[in-house]
Amino acid sequence: MSQSEHNRSAAGASPSPNGVEAAGDEKRPEAIKAIKLRHPWRTVFAVVLIGIFVLFIIDAAQRPAYDWASVGKYVFDVRVTQAALVTLELTVLSMVFAIILGILLAVMRLSPNPVVKSVAWFYLWIFRGTPVYVQLVFWGLIAIIYQTIDIGIPFTEPWVSIPTTAAISTFWIAVIGLALNEAAYMAEIVRAGLLSVDRGQEEAATALGMSWSQTMLRIVIPQSMRVIIPPTGNEVISMLKTTSLVTAVPFSFDLYNRTRDISAETFNPIPLLIVASIWYLFFTSILMVGQYFLEKRFARGIGDRRPDKAAGPTGTIPVIGGNQPTVLTGPASVEPNRAGDPPINPGHGGKR
């Protein structure tokens, strides 16, 4: 071996400053042997929970009061399935109207006009400050307060006069009552979503010549959806269960009231309560799955990105003649250098 080759091999084996080996050295540090921490009490707690759950299932299967034969008999009864569909209709229609009205109220709350803002605040104060059951009772008595629906010029003879009971059925009274109550909560959800978008987004869209509607549809609303979707999904699930209160209207063709009527005939309420719970859980499970995928869809690009497993070397290597080390975060930050050149520092715009 010549003297120059001996010097080169010796230089390649010598460590570089700060304890980091030179790039030409093929020797790698030994892998760290991580020992997994043991959590014996966590395992014991999990076993106890599983044991309690199994004991509850075994006990419930043997309880005669549950009457599982009647549960299987009525779970797909025609009256129950029709009532389940009515409950679903109440939920969907009420939420659609509530979302539309909630968006309008949210815009009114953000309006610079003090009168418009005050009207929206008063609406929220009334409908958020009173129980929904009281509101439904009030809407059930609307035909006593307004016996007819008059169309015409105020304080003159009406052109058309329709009895309230003939114009609005109890089903639509229930929908209106649920929607007006829910709109107050949806307004705050939408307002919070709109306020979560940085003001600079709107200013940048205006600078690009976009109109207000274009800014809202293309910039603000898509970004605010990741804040609006989770609580809205919770409100939909809550609305599904709130439909059981429409008996206050009174409307008795929803799921809960229909199963209650059947239990009054059979004098066996517990199995019918289980039947209603099974249908509520079925619908809630579907809504939860839909909410999960909607949240995943609108949360794309949000959050920390995990580094690629196939990324290049990471760590810190010194910069010759510099005061700060160079941090390698992946193959994108490593560029081929000429022989003898110092590594490129990505923190200084690629300057050597």
Side-chain angles (χ1 to χ4, degrees):
M1 179 184 297
S2 63
Q3 183 66 24
S4 60
E5 292 177 354
H6 176 73
N7 294 337
R8 283 197 299 269
S9 62
S14 59
S16 58
N18 297 333
V20 179
E21 297 181 359
D25 193 357
E26 296 181 357
K27 183 178 179 181
R28 306 216 174 173
E30 297 181 0
I32 299 176
K33 297 180 180 180
I35 300 176
K36 187 177 181 180
L37 295 178
R38 300 182 182 276
H39 302 279
W41 289 110
R42 184 185 301 176
T43 305
V44 171
F45 184 67
V47 171
V48 170
L49 287 180
I50 294 174
I52 294 174
F53 178 75
V54 171
L55 289 176
F56 174 78
I57 295 297
I58 295 174
D59 180 74
Q62 298 175 353
R63 292 278 177 178
Y66 289 119
D67 194 359
W68 295 106
S70 297
V71 173
K73 176 182 177 181
Y74 288 105
V75 69
F76 293 113
D77 187 271
V78 176
R79 294 170 292 179
V80 175
T81 54
Q82 290 178 350
L85 291 178
V86 171
T87 296
L88 205 57
E89 291 175 0
L90 285 171
T91 303
V92 172
L93 291 173
S94 300
M95 284 306 303
V96 168
F97 294 143
I99 290 173
I100 295 173
L101 183 57
I103 293 174
L104 178 62
L105 289 170
V107 174
M108 292 172 64
R109 284 270 285 156
L110 296 174
S111 173
N113 190 320
V115 176
V116 174
K117 184 183 296 185
S118 300
V119 169
W121 180 89
F122 182 78
Y123 181 97
L124 268 62
W125 177 64
I126 292 293
F127 283 93
R128 293 176 65 192
T130 55
V132 61
Y133 191 87
V134 174
Q135 296 175 27
L136 291 174
V137 172
F138 182 88
W139 288 110
L141 300 174
I142 196 69
I144 299 176
I145 303 173
Y146 302 98
Q147 298 179 359
T148 59
I149 298 177
D150 300 329
I151 301 176
I153 300 175
F155 307 109
T156 62
E157 191 68 21
W159 302 336
V160 179
S161 183
I162 305 173
T164 304
T165 54
I168 307 176
S169 64
T170 54
F171 174 83
W172 285 106
I173 291 177
V175 170
I176 292 172
L178 293 172
L180 291 177
N181 176 265
E182 183 61 34
Y185 297 93
M186 285 303 306
E188 291 298 280
I189 292 173
V190 174
R191 186 172 71 92
L194 295 178
L195 291 176
S196 67
V197 181
D198 189 82
R199 183 69 178 175
Q201 300 282 336
E202 299 182 34
E203 296 175 354
T206 303
L208 292 174
M210 298 177 67
S211 63
W212 181 85
S213 60
Q214 290 176 328
T215 303
M216 293 298 294
L217 292 176
R218 299 184 181 183
I219 305 298
V220 178
I221 292 180
Q223 295 185 66
S224 63
M225 289 301 289
R226 64 184 179 87
V227 177
I228 295 175
I229 289 294
T232 301
N234 295 336
E235 291 298 318
V236 174
I237 294 174
S238 177
M239 175 62 72
L240 176 69
K241 296 176 288 186
T242 307
T243 55
S244 61
L245 300 178
V246 294
T247 183
V249 171
F251 181 77
S252 59
F253 293 99
D254 65 295
L255 180 59
Y256 168 71
N257 289 287
R258 204 74 181 103
T259 54
R260 188 186 62 177
D261 294 341
I262 297 174
S263 65
E265 298 174 1
T266 60
F267 300 100
N268 195 11
I270 296 178
L272 273 303
L273 287 174
I274 296 176
V275 168
S277 300
I278 290 173
W279 278 100
Y280 282 121
L281 287 172
F282 173 71
F283 289 139
T284 302
S285 301
I286 295 176
L287 292 174
M288 291 175 65
V289 172
Q291 178 183 354
Y292 168 77
F293 284 105
L294 276 177
E295 291 181 12
K296 187 176 180 180
R297 168 67 176 80
F298 285 100
R300 291 184 305 176
I302 304 299
D304 297 331
R305 296 180 179 270
R306 295 182 178 180
D308 190 1
K309 293 183 179 180
T314 59
T316 304
I317 62 175
V319 178
I320 299 176
N323 296 326
Q324 299 295 332
T326 297
V327 179
L328 297 181
T329 58
S333 61
V334 180
E335 297 181 7
N337 299 336
R338 295 187 301 272
D341 287 346
I344 299 175
N345 189 344
H348 293 78
K351 295 181 180 180
R352 301 185 185 276

